[in-house]
Amino acid sequence: MTWLRKGVNQRKVMGTFLATSLLLLMLLYSYISSAVSSYFYSSSCQLQGQFQLNGIHKDGDVVLGGLFQIHFFSTYPDLSFTSEPQQPTCHGFDILGFRQVQTMAFAIDEINRNSNLLPNVTLGYSLYDNCLQLGIGFRAALSLVSGQEEQVILHETCVGTLPVLGIVGDSSSTRSIAISTVLGLYRVPMVSYFATCSCLSDRQKFPSFFRTIPSDAFQVRAMIQILKHFGWTWTGLLISDDDYGLHAARSFQSDLGPSGGGCLAYTEILPWGNNPAELKRIVDVMKKSTARVIIVFAHESHMINLMEEVVRQNVTGLQWIASEAWTSAAVLHTPRLMPYLGGTLGITIRRGEIAGLKDFLLQIRPDLHHNNSYGNNVVNQFWEHTFQCRFAPPPAGWVEAGGALCTGQEDLESVETEFLDVSDLRSEYNVYKAVYALAYALDNMLQCEPGRGPFSGHSCGNLQRLEPWQLVHYMENVNFTTSFGDPVSFDENGDVLPIYDIMNWQWLPDGRTEVQTVGEVKKSAFKGEELTLDEDKIFWNFESKEPPRSVCSESCPPGTRIARKRGEPECCLDCIPCSEGKVSNKTDSMECTSCPEDFWSNPQRDQCVPKKIEFLSYHEPLGICLAATSLLGTFICAVVLGIFIYHRRTPIVRANNSELSFHLLLSLKLCFLCSLLFIGRPRPWTCQLRHAAFGISFVLCVSCILVKTMVVLAVFKASKPGGEASLKWFGVLQQRGTVLVLTSVQAAICTAWLVTASPAPHKNTEYHNDKIVYECVVGSTVGFAVLLGYIGLLAILSFLLAFLARNLPDSFNEAKLITFSMLIFCAVWVAFVPAYISSPGKYADAVEVFAILASSFGLLVALFGPKCYIILLRPERNTKKAIMGRGTES
């Protein structure tokens, strides 16, 4: 009957309409009764009728009430008030409910024996059976707070103590809501040990309600902690069709995403009773879903019907998470269901130990003298249920049918009964804490010192003039620790500091089933919610023996960001790779972050790496080739210079203005060497020097060529009659002065350029996003243009003069060589301009170096190649006679 008791023990608000209707009826009756009483009785109130209820009682200075589920079923009583007492018909004795009753009796007995708690005050109790019916529980609560006296004499002061100062109960949220709504009007404290509906935390509606069991809101958060711990972000939710399940569903939908980062694949409502079509549809949804974890917020009866369909369709490979309503359901711990439910993780009420309870239970004896009265017949009913006997007089036909008569001397230890099993006290532990909470609150009130109290005028409460709201005040501030070591206090909503045990359904090799505690989840005032799990103890009902994966989408690795799939729940995501220059270094990043200026994303997009630095380097093939070519040109110039120096007295050297030839070779060496300044990492001094050296070197070179050309023209002009005077303008000093002046102009241009807008190194990131191109910016485009323009002007002038002198008579007319060399020079630099502008980064430097080398080699080969050929290979032509003779013949 365990599963039936828990299955029908609806601790959630399913009877709201019934409760409201009943409440209105009772209030209407109270109003009519008061009017009639005030009319007929001026000094007393007459009780119109009594509720005849199952219960046990004990007198005391202060009486505490209790509402418990001692029977499973009842015939719903007539709610009208008549002169004839009516007894509700209750049947189906609940052993565990009766153990809760005895736990409260034991707690009160233990308090009475404790000299440190409520000294000189004896507690009594009145404990009633609600028979699992709202109407009966409501009648019992009204009987507790109004009393059962036939007539109450009214005093002028209208003062006195309530029949009970507080009520422990009810086990159902439905009944607790209905009862606490009325008791809250008079601030009568009510401490439930099993009502978990989060709606009862509303202090506006239930100002005097407390409970020693966590609310469903915390149970939901506890489950979310488990989901988060194992990374289960994609789960299914099955709920019961009452406020227990509906409140849980709302809590999951509001809390799962923000706190756990998950979402629900589906939410299905389990039907009451056996509805094969609906259950088949729900199981089909479970099979089609990719969610491997299923949370069930329902009762045992729902699970029994659901598992029949699960077994029929053979749905395995699921991880179940159970609410406290069915975590400990023994009816589901069967070899037939364990292939499907093995490994279930469940939330259950905190287990506690109550020392001495078993001895107290063994002392229970029936009342042989009042076995048919409503005072103590609950014990007699327990006795009859346990020993399958009947007290005299037995029902008709009982003895004839072989039934035994109860003697009252039967031995409880001789029968196997769940009643004496105190190894797993959970709801009983909550009852125990509820009684002690009321006792400590009353004790704190009685210890109040007059003049220092918390009430108006610093007054204190006392038993003779106790108002219920005064005890509520002390209940709100109660704080104690049980003998088991658990702290008990209530928050501003009347909820106890929550703690749950986490259970695991383990399928042992021998086929037995064991429900083992594998952790706990609790909330403390300082650390918040804490989850503790011993994963080594958890049994996983999978081949891998490891926790399953239950996600809608796999985690997005570093280097990607998550994006929601349109039309899908929020945890169904796409992984979008980060764009270039952005990275994400965490799993499931919401967005990619941009790299700093000098960094770029690596190919995996999971970290920023320094950008590649690009410049024309000595370590790359292009730089090596250009540097080698530059050095080769310098070496050739040195060789040619050596040849000319060695053969400086030969006619061909002397005939071609040897001094200017030496200057020209030195300037070409400088041209070759200045190209090296364009190779290597740009630095301030190299950027400033490279263009200045280039400009001055080339002006020196072209100036020498221009002067040579002018000298050639002057010589041939002087050879004509009357032209001797032209040579005086082209003497050695004039030649040197001309070269110096022309070069000084370029030096002045470079100086002005460097002073006004000096070239400088620059990190250019416009060419390539992933590279830093080091280059020298010219600083002033005008300065650079003037520098090049001046070189071009001299080169064009040299070309035109050489072109005019190309046909002058001579056996070795150098004007032809100058014309050809300047043609090469101009062609190279004309092609340089568009190539330089269109070349990015280091290639612009490479183009400029190539132009320098090409024009330098052009001048070197065109001007000095034929002369070296004659000097080295045709020495017979390197004579004055040969030169002059050919000239005469021509």
Side-chain angles (χ1 to χ4, degrees), residues 260-302:
C263 49
L264 298 175
Y266 55 85
T267 301
E268 296 292 338
I269 299 177
L270 296 173
W272 288 101
N274 190 12
N275 188 336
E278 180 64 10
L279 290 172
K280 182 179 183 301
R281 185 193 66 80
I282 293 173
V283 174
D284 288 339
V285 171
M286 294 163 50
K287 289 172 60 178
K288 293 177 182 178
S289 174
T290 56
R292 297 293 88 198
V293 177
I294 299 178
I295 302 170
V296 183
F297 236 94
H299 310 285
E300 291 178 31
S301 57
H302 293 97

Side-chain angles (χ1 to χ4, degrees), residues 108-375:
I108 290 177
D109 182 71
E110 187 177 62
I111 292 169
N112 289 334
R113 289 185 281 106
N114 187 347
S115 60
N116 297 320
L117 182 61
L118 290 176
N120 304 319
V121 176
T122 301
L123 291 181
Y125 54 77
S126 289
L127 313 179
Y128 285 123
D129 179 12
N130 58 37
C131 293
L132 203 64
Q133 288 293 340
L134 174 60
I136 299 176
F138 206 106
R139 285 184 167 192
L142 291 181
S143 297
L144 288 172
V145 297
S146 62
Q148 294 281 16
E149 292 85 355
E150 290 291 339
Q151 186 172 352
V152 179
I153 304 300
L154 298 180
H155 301 282
E156 292 181 1
T157 57
C158 292
V159 297
T161 302
L162 290 175
V164 295
L165 287 183
I167 296 177
V168 175
D170 193 294
S171 61
S172 161
S173 292
T174 299
R175 295 187 292 274
S176 295
I177 289 174
I179 296 169
S180 185
T181 300
V182 177
L183 298 187
L185 299 175
Y186 306 99
R187 299 300 191 269
V188 178
M190 178 177 179
V191 189
S192 175
Y193 54 90
F194 223 52
T196 60
C197 181
S198 57
C199 58
L200 286 164
S201 297
D202 188 343
R203 221 55 185 155
Q204 296 296 323
K205 295 181 179 179
F206 312 103
S208 62
F209 180 81
F210 302 87
R211 53 182 160 190
T212 55
I213 185 173
S215 73
D216 288 337
F218 179 75
Q219 184 176 185
V220 169
R221 293 197 298 271
M223 289 184 175
I224 292 175
Q225 289 287 333
I226 297 175
L227 298 179
K228 188 176 181 180
H229 178 82
F230 291 108
W232 296 331
T233 59
W234 186 236
T235 57
L237 177 64
L238 304 180
I239 61 173
S240 56
D241 190 12
D242 55 14
D243 279 356
Y244 176 51
L246 297 177
H247 275 87
R250 283 195 289 269
S251 296
F252 267 111
Q253 291 169 354
S254 62
D255 296 346
L256 185 57
S259 60
C263 49
L264 298 175
Y266 55 85
T267 301
E268 296 292 338
I269 299 177
L270 296 173
W272 288 101
N274 190 12
N275 188 336
E278 180 64 10
L279 290 172
K280 182 179 183 301
R281 185 193 66 80
I282 293 173
V283 174
D284 288 339
V285 171
M286 294 163 50
K287 289 172 60 178
K288 293 177 182 178
S289 174
T290 56
R292 297 293 88 198
V293 177
I294 299 178
I295 302 170
V296 183
F297 236 94
H299 310 285
E300 291 178 31
S301 57
H302 293 97
M303 282 302 298
I304 292 171
N305 296 329
L306 176 65
M307 291 312 299
E308 290 297 326
E309 184 63 26
V310 169
V311 172
R312 192 185 69 81
Q313 296 193 33
N314 193 28
V315 182
T316 58
L318 299 177
Q319 175 64 46
W320 299 83
I321 297 182
S323 67
E324 41 80 28
W326 64 278
T327 294
S328 303
V331 69
L332 299 172
H333 303 163
T334 63
R336 177 171 174 264
L337 297 181
M338 286 310 290
Y340 307 92
L341 291 176
T344 295
L345 290 174
I347 301 292
T348 190
I349 304 166
R350 171 76 164 175
R351 187 189 71 85
E353 294 182 3
I354 304 176
L357 177 61
K358 186 171 183 178
D359 294 336
F360 180 83
L361 298 179
L362 289 172
Q363 296 174 7
I364 294 176
R365 288 293 180 270
D367 187 347
L368 300 180
H369 303 288
H370 303 90
N371 57 351
N372 286 322
S373 71
Y374 281 88

Side-chain angles (χ1 to χ4, degrees), residues 544-616:
S544 63
K545 302 302 178 184
E546 294 181 353
R549 283 190 58 78
S550 185
V551 294
C552 181
S553 302
E554 293 295 332
S555 295
C556 291
T560 62
R561 64 177 178 86
I562 60 177
R564 285 188 58 182
K565 292 182 179 179
R566 183 172 297 180
E568 297 286 340
E570 61 182 9
C571 59
C572 296
L573 308 169
D574 283 326
C575 298
I576 308 299
C578 294
S579 57
E580 290 186 347
K582 294 185 176 182
V583 298
S584 64
N585 54 11
K586 297 182 195 175
T587 302
D588 292 333
S589 294
M590 295 297 295
E591 60 182 13
C592 301
T593 56
S594 298
C595 290
E597 181 181 2
D598 292 343
F599 290 81
W600 195 250
S601 56
N602 62 350
Q604 293 75 29
R605 307 284 197 273
D606 58 358
Q607 61 179 338
C608 291
V609 296
K611 288 182 177 180
K612 295 179 180 178
I613 297 175
E614 184 179 87
F615 55 88
L616 189 59

Side-chain angles (χ1 to χ4, degrees), residues 536-784:
D536 295 334
K537 292 183 179 180
I538 299 178
F539 167 75
W540 301 106
N541 195 24
F542 303 95
E543 291 184 4
S544 63
K545 302 302 178 184
E546 294 181 353
R549 283 190 58 78
S550 185
V551 294
C552 181
S553 302
E554 293 295 332
S555 295
C556 291
T560 62
R561 64 177 178 86
I562 60 177
R564 285 188 58 182
K565 292 182 179 179
R566 183 172 297 180
E568 297 286 340
E570 61 182 9
C571 59
C572 296
L573 308 169
D574 283 326
C575 298
I576 308 299
C578 294
S579 57
E580 290 186 347
K582 294 185 176 182
V583 298
S584 64
N585 54 11
K586 297 182 195 175
T587 302
D588 292 333
S589 294
M590 295 297 295
E591 60 182 13
C592 301
T593 56
S594 298
C595 290
E597 181 181 2
D598 292 343
F599 290 81
W600 195 250
S601 56
N602 62 350
Q604 293 75 29
R605 307 284 197 273
D606 58 358
Q607 61 179 338
C608 291
V609 296
K611 288 182 177 180
K612 295 179 180 178
I613 297 175
E614 184 179 87
F615 55 88
L616 189 59
S617 170
Y618 288 107
H619 303 289
E620 60 178 308
L622 180 60
I624 294 173
C625 291
L626 293 176
T629 305
S630 174
L631 295 176
L632 177 63
T634 304
F635 176 73
I636 293 174
C637 286
V639 171
V640 172
L641 181 61
I643 292 172
F644 268 55
I645 293 174
Y646 185 77
H647 297 280
R648 63 185 179 278
R649 300 189 184 278
T650 60
I652 197 167
V653 174
R654 297 180 63 187
N656 288 278
N657 199 331
S658 60
E659 184 176 347
L660 285 178
S661 296
F662 292 153
H663 285 300
L664 182 59
L665 284 171
L666 288 173
S667 65
L668 285 174
K669 286 180 65 176
L670 293 176
C671 291
F672 280 116
L673 290 175
C674 78
S675 64
L676 296 177
L677 296 173
F678 291 85
I679 306 174
R681 182 166 183 166
R683 303 184 185 280
W685 68 271
T686 59
C687 289
Q688 294 172 356
L689 187 60
R690 63 167 59 171
H691 287 104
F694 155 71
I696 293 173
S697 299
F698 267 90
V699 166
L700 178 61
C701 178
V702 176
S703 297
C704 292
I705 295 172
L706 178 61
V707 171
K708 283 174 69 73
T709 307
M710 294 172 67
V711 170
V712 170
L713 288 174
V715 168
F716 279 98
K717 187 176 181 181
S719 65
K720 294 180 181 181
E724 293 84 357
S726 61
L727 283 176
K728 67 179 182 180
W729 300 104
F730 292 95
V732 175
L733 291 177
Q734 287 82 358
Q735 295 175 25
R736 294 173 183 170
T738 303
V739 171
L740 180 61
V741 170
L742 294 176
T743 305
S744 297
V745 172
Q746 183 72 308
I749 293 173
C750 292
T751 302
W753 180 19
L754 294 178
V755 170
T756 57
S758 176
H762 172 64
K763 295 190 293 185
N764 194 326
T765 57
E766 296 179 0
Y767 300 136
H768 306 283
N769 291 327
D770 59 341
K771 295 179 182 178
I772 298 176
V773 178
Y774 276 90
E775 59 184 9
C776 288
V777 292
V778 295
S780 172
T781 306
V782 174
F784 187 49

